[in-house]
């Protein structure tokens, strides 16, 4: 017995040590959505995110194809790049949750290179070759207007990520949008001007459908509000020096200047205002609500104000606000995956893709006509831009309450209300 114990005991000790080493060497299981490296949790809170999937079961069968057209390159890339990143991340999340209707989701992303002709070619490919059930995007109003009729004629739902009012007014039965429109943005600006007793302003806008739509809203709503538009100037989409236009505006002595456009033009306007020593408030449109504007405008961005969605100031949004869980979940997941902050445009892709995914789930089918009906029936969807309530008469689904005032201070977005 003593001899056996001398043999058995070391053997048991050795086996125990090996067991500990084996356990210690195994990778620890990671909760779904938890980023590596100890970053913030991205597990969606209860009730947040699309009600799709089968609780983590691996999706199977024929993929559900959703098209996406973003300006990943070219002048509008500051909008399209984050939209592409968000769409890819959300597609992964949906598939990790079991897909839609138990089937995997395939988001086919096309780059329109910030050109309308490229957007048309991309839409044609997605509709005729890929036979997608819906398209999200494009990033800009000009590209959206270029494919609006094509999607309508093909009977393929389009959920645009662009903000021009002309996208959804007049209503096309197959065309929807997720950003707050220029109609709502100008209404928010009118409220601010009235509150600050400003009655004489000037405008400067980019000469494309987005800028022209914003200018039309300013002319209409300022007149109705008794606010005098002393001067209006415009600039080209790739112009870099607006000194002549701003010199004319300065000569009119406005009490505020409103700029309507998307980067890079508005950043050049901000620099021009500073260069000419203009000290009245510069108000930008929601088309510049991303870090790129601050980067391009540099010190000239300081003090600039604009109406924007809550995503870029989500940490300042009260905890009891109904959007807070969605904003927090998305912003933290985006930061964990890409090591950069989610901006307004990434949020547009979030909203568009989730709305389409929920519509497919509600329709129980990826038939484009049934998906269209389900999109139009969407109500109470809490997204990054606001709470969406679509109807046959309203294919934007948002109200002025989707905006808050933000101001740039110290190179950062700050909630200004």
């Amino acid at each position: 017995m003593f001899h056996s114990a001398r043999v058995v005991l070391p053997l048991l000790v050795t086996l125990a040590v090996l067991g500990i080493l084996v356990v210690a060497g195994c990778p620890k299981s990671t909760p779904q959505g938890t980023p590596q490296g100890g970053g913030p949790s991205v597990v969606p809170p209860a009730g947040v995110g699309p009600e799709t999937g089968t609780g983590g079961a691996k999706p199977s069968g024929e993929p559900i194809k959703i098209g996406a057209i973003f300006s990943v390159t070219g002048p509008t890339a500051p909008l399209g790049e984050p939209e592409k990143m968000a769409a890819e991340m959300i597609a992964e999340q949906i598939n990790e949750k079991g897909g839609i209707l138990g089937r995997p989701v395939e988001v086919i992303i096309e780059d329109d290179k910030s050109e309308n002709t490229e957007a048309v070619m991309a839409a044609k490919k997605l509709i005729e070759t890929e036979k997608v059930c819906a398209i999200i995007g494009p990033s800009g109003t000009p590209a959206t207007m270029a494919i609006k009729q094509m999607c309508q004629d093909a009977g393929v739902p389009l959920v645009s990520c662009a903000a021009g009012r002309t996208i959804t007014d007049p209503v096309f039965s197959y065309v929807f949008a997720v950003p707050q429109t220029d109609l709502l943005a100008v209404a928010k600006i009118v409220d601010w001007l009235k509150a600050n007793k400003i009655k004489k302003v000037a405008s400067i806008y980019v000469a494309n459908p987005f800028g022209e739509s914003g200018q039309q809203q300013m002319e209409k709503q300022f007149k109705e509000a008794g606010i005098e538009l002393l001067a209006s100037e415009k600039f080209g989409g790739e112009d870099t020096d607006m000194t002549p236009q701003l010199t004319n505006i300065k000569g009119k002595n406005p009490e505020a200047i409103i700029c309507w456009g998307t980067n890079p033009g508005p950043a050049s306007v901000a620099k021009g205002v500073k260069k000419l020593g203009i000290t009245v408030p510069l108000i930008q449109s929601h088309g510049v609500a991303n870090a790129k504007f601050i980067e391009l405008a540099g010190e000239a961005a300081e003090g600039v104000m604009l109406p924007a969605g809550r995503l870029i100031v989500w940490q300042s949004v009260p905890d009891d606000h109904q959007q807070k869980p969605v904003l927090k979940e998305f912003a933290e997941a985006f930061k964990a995956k890409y090591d950069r902050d989610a901006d307004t445009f990434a949020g547009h892709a979030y909203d568009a893709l989730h709305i389409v995914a929920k519509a497919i789930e509600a329709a129980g089918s990826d038939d484009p006509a049934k998906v269209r009906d389900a999109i139009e029936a969407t109500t109470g969807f809490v997204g990054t831009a606001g709470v969406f309530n679509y109807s046959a008469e309203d294919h934007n689904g948002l109200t002025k309450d989707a905006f808050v005032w933000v101001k740039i201070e110290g190179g950062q977005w700050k909630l200004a209300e």
Side-chain angles (χ1 to χ4, degrees):
M1 291 293 291
F2 179 74
H3 177 74
S4 299
R6 290 179 60 189
V7 174
V8 171
L9 184 60
L11 178 60
L12 291 174
V13 171
T14 301
L15 289 173
V17 171
L18 287 172
I20 292 171
L21 291 174
V22 168
V23 171
C26 289
K28 294 179 179 179
S29 62
T30 302
Q32 183 181 3
T34 301
Q36 302 297 315
S41 171
V42 297
V43 177
V48 175
E51 296 172 359
T52 57
T54 54
K58 186 177 181 179
S60 61
E62 184 180 357
I64 291 177
K65 292 185 177 182
I66 300 172
I69 303 173
F70 301 131
S71 298
V72 184
T73 58
T76 318
L79 283 62
E81 183 186 16
E83 289 170 344
K84 175 178 181 290
M85 297 165 75
E88 291 174 340
M89 183 185 79
I90 294 159
E92 291 175 4
Q93 292 176 340
I94 291 174
N95 285 328
E96 287 172 357
K97 293 179 181 178
I100 304 175
L101 304 176
R103 293 163 56 189
V105 172
E106 182 182 355
V107 178
I108 304 170
I109 299 176
E110 298 287 335
D111 177 13
D112 68 17
K113 304 174 184 176
S114 306
E115 296 181 6
N116 294 350
T117 52
E118 293 287 341
V120 170
M121 293 172 60
K124 183 178 177 66
K125 175 185 175 184
L126 292 171
I127 293 169
E128 297 180 1
T129 304
E130 300 293 349
K131 300 191 183 305
V132 298
C133 68
I135 296 174
I136 62 172
S139 308
T141 298
T144 300
M145 296 304 291
I147 67 169
K148 178 180 176 180
Q149 189 65 55
M150 180 188 297
C151 293
Q152 178 71 23
D153 293 343
V156 174
L158 173 69
V159 183
S160 174
C161 293
R165 175 67 175 175
T166 49
I167 294 170
T168 54
D169 184 14
V171 171
F172 279 29
S173 59
Y174 276 83
V175 180
F176 302 81
V178 289
Q180 307 93 338
T181 65
D182 42 37
L183 182 150
L184 301 176
V186 172
K188 188 77 174 180
I189 291 172
V190 167
D191 288 349
W192 188 88
L193 294 174
K194 285 182 174 179
N196 288 276
K197 303 186 185 306
I198 291 176
K199 296 183 177 179
K200 296 182 179 181
V201 302
S203 66
I204 180 168
Y205 62 97
V206 64
N208 69 23
F210 176 68
E212 290 160 358
S213 182
Q215 174 66 16
Q216 290 170 5
Q217 286 299 323
M218 284 190 277
E219 291 175 358
K220 180 177 184 293
Q221 295 191 44
F222 289 170
K223 184 177 181 180
E224 293 171 350
I227 297 169
E228 187 176 359
L229 191 55
L230 298 174
S232 293
E233 300 284 346
K234 58 185 176 181
F235 56 88
E238 298 185 15
D239 290 354
T240 57
D241 184 2
M242 287 65 160
T243 301
Q245 298 97 317
L246 291 170
T247 299
N248 290 337
I249 286 175
K250 183 179 181 181
K252 300 292 183 179
N253 295 316
E255 298 172 296
I257 298 173
I258 299 98
C259 175
W260 220 266
T262 56
N263 293 315
S268 297
V269 170
K271 289 180 177 178
V273 166
K274 190 174 182 64
K275 173 185 172 184
L276 293 175
I278 299 172
T279 57
V280 299
L282 173 60
I283 299 171
Q284 295 277 358
S285 78
H286 51 320
V288 302
N290 62 6
K292 196 66 177 180
F293 172 75
I294 298 175
E295 175 189 330
L296 292 174
E299 293 182 357
E302 286 297 301
V304 168
M305 299 178 64
L306 63 143
R310 292 175 173 81
L311 180 58
I312 58 174
V313 290
W314 71 269
Q315 291 172 310
S316 299
V317 174
D319 289 342
D320 60 355
H321 192 279
Q322 60 183 332
Q323 281 184 266
K324 185 63 175 279
V326 171
L327 299 173
K328 182 176 187 294
E329 173 216 343
F330 176 58
E332 291 185 345
F334 196 89
K335 181 75 171 180
K337 185 172 181 62
Y338 297 117
D339 193 26
R340 60 181 279 185
D341 293 329
D343 62 22
T344 297
F345 306 101
H348 292 337
Y350 172 101
D351 292 341
L353 186 49
H354 276 333
I355 285 172
V356 170
K358 288 175 67 69
I360 296 169
E361 189 80 14
S365 168
D366 60 350
D367 176 78
K370 294 179 180 178
V371 174
R372 188 222 76 86
D373 292 346
I375 293 174
E376 192 175 79
T378 298
T379 58
F381 173 75
V382 181
T384 67
V387 181
F388 290 87
N389 290 290
Y390 288 132
S391 68
E393 296 77 27
D394 184 359
H395 279 198
N396 177 243
L398 296 173
T399 67
K400 189 170 58 176
D401 293 338
F403 277 122
V404 291
W405 274 101
V406 299
K407 187 174 184 179
I408 300 172
E409 294 179 349
Q412 301 292 324
W413 300 108
K414 302 291 184 182
L415 186 63
E417 63 177 48

